[in-house]
Amino acid sequence: MSDLYLAAAASAAAMLASFWLVMFLGWLTETLFHKIMPVWLKVILTILVWAGACAGGYYWQLTRIQKADESAKSGFVSEEYVTVHETDYGWFFDGWGTANAAVFYGEKGIAEEAYAPLLKAVARQGTDCFLYKMPYADPARQYDAYSEIIAHHDWYRWFMMCHGSGCEAGSKYFTEHSGDFAGMITLGTYPMTDLKRTQLLITVVADKDPLMDTAAYEEALKKTKAKTRENTVRGGSHYGWAACGTVKGDGQAEITPALQQVLTAQLIRQTLIRE
């Protein structure tokens, strides 16, 4: 069920609960104080209680974020071949490469910090990475955040890199700025936009990932015009690309997230070298 349907159902439930709560308060007032609560007051109280319930539920949904675990801290430590810069917008992982750069869209609800080890690993393999801190870990809220970054940095090839549901926002931005990109890199997901024949699509999937829509993935690859290079991380899981611990609904990984992230970075580099 989509977020829109869930929000509508929750709002309707909140309104119904508010109505019965106010009816109960009216009955209680009449029983204890022998005063009838005016209809206009019941309407106002119903609206106020409903609005409060909706606002509380909305805030709870926004703040329900899977935080990064302890292992994510290593992703922010500079080393010989990668310098990590903290910026106003987030982080820049500056590796030794000078030709390729990638902007990253993570899974909705996963704290951006959890992706630091992955992007550091990718930068170590020669592709510099930018990680924007999205409000409430929801890329859809600021999907065009990377426009200024791309405009002020000069790399030979820019790539869009997305994990899971982050590809929805990433694909929207890609559609509007397709000319800025040499291609797209998807992790546990598939492109939700058209790529040109001159662009490169690099897909990385994990064979223990039950959350990826395999049918939609295969259909997207059939339709794309781009030069496609498919890769599989054996033993990897859906959330293994993020340092965020165990997430409900994910598969049972046979390798550590750290290894999955390193293998992914190596696969990306090998593909870029060949192209």
Side-chain angles (χ1 to χ4, degrees), residues 9-258:
S11 180
M15 176 62 86
L16 185 61
S18 302
F19 172 77
W20 286 112
L21 176 61
V22 172
M23 291 300 101
F24 171 75
L25 291 176
W27 171 82
L28 193 62
T29 300
E30 294 169 11
T31 301
L32 296 179
F33 303 104
H34 304 291
K35 291 184 178 180
I36 297 177
M37 183 181 292
V39 174
W40 62 267
L41 182 58
K42 290 182 180 180
V43 172
I44 291 176
L45 287 176
T46 298
I47 293 174
L48 290 176
V49 173
W50 168 74
C54 288
Y58 184 64
Y59 180 76
W60 173 81
Q61 179 67 28
L62 291 178
T63 56
R64 192 177 58 172
I65 297 173
Q66 183 79 13
K67 298 186 181 301
D69 62 25
E70 285 296 312
S71 67
K73 293 180 179 179
S74 64
F76 297 103
V77 180
S78 297
E79 58 182 45
E80 183 177 0
Y81 297 107
V82 182
T83 302
V84 183
H85 303 276
E86 185 169 6
T87 66
D88 292 338
Y89 59 78
W91 300 272
F92 167 40
F93 300 83
D94 186 8
W96 54 267
T98 57
N100 301 316
V103 295
F104 185 80
Y105 288 79
E107 182 89 53
K108 178 181 177 181
I110 301 296
E112 288 82 7
E113 292 87 346
Y115 291 104
L118 168 67
L119 300 188
K120 182 179 177 182
V122 174
R124 192 184 298 122
Q125 294 294 330
T127 299
D128 296 333
C129 295
F130 291 85
L131 178 62
Y132 207 99
K133 196 168 182 62
M134 302 290 182
Y136 300 104
D138 184 359
R141 292 178 168 275
Q142 203 166 353
Y143 75 95
D144 60 347
Y146 288 108
S147 293
E148 188 173 352
I149 293 173
I150 294 176
H152 288 83
H153 291 83
D154 185 22
W155 268 270
Y156 177 64
R157 295 192 298 185
W158 281 98
F159 288 89
M160 167 79 65
M161 183 159 56
C162 308
H163 173 223
S165 62
C167 202
E168 295 181 18
S171 292
K172 183 177 181 180
Y173 180 78
F174 191 96
T175 300
E176 297 177 1
H177 303 84
S178 179
D180 294 334
F181 293 97
M184 182 178 286
I185 303 169
T186 62
L187 312 177
T189 186
Y190 54 91
M192 302 174 193
T193 184
D194 293 329
L195 278 73
K196 301 175 183 177
R197 295 184 185 279
T198 56
Q199 293 173 324
L200 175 65
L201 172 61
I202 303 174
T203 69
V204 184
V205 300
D207 64 354
K208 303 300 179 184
D209 178 3
L211 300 177
M212 191 182 80
D213 188 338
T214 304
Y217 169 82
E218 294 175 350
E219 187 64 24
L221 264 58
K222 288 179 183 177
K223 292 181 178 179
T224 186
K225 303 181 185 70
K227 184 186 299 182
T228 304
R229 298 292 180 262
E230 297 181 70
N231 303 274
T232 300
V233 177
R234 302 295 178 187
S237 65
H238 187 78
Y239 289 99
W241 284 292
C244 62
T246 302
V247 180
K248 185 178 180 181
D250 200 1
Q252 183 63 47
E254 296 176 351
I255 60 175
T256 65

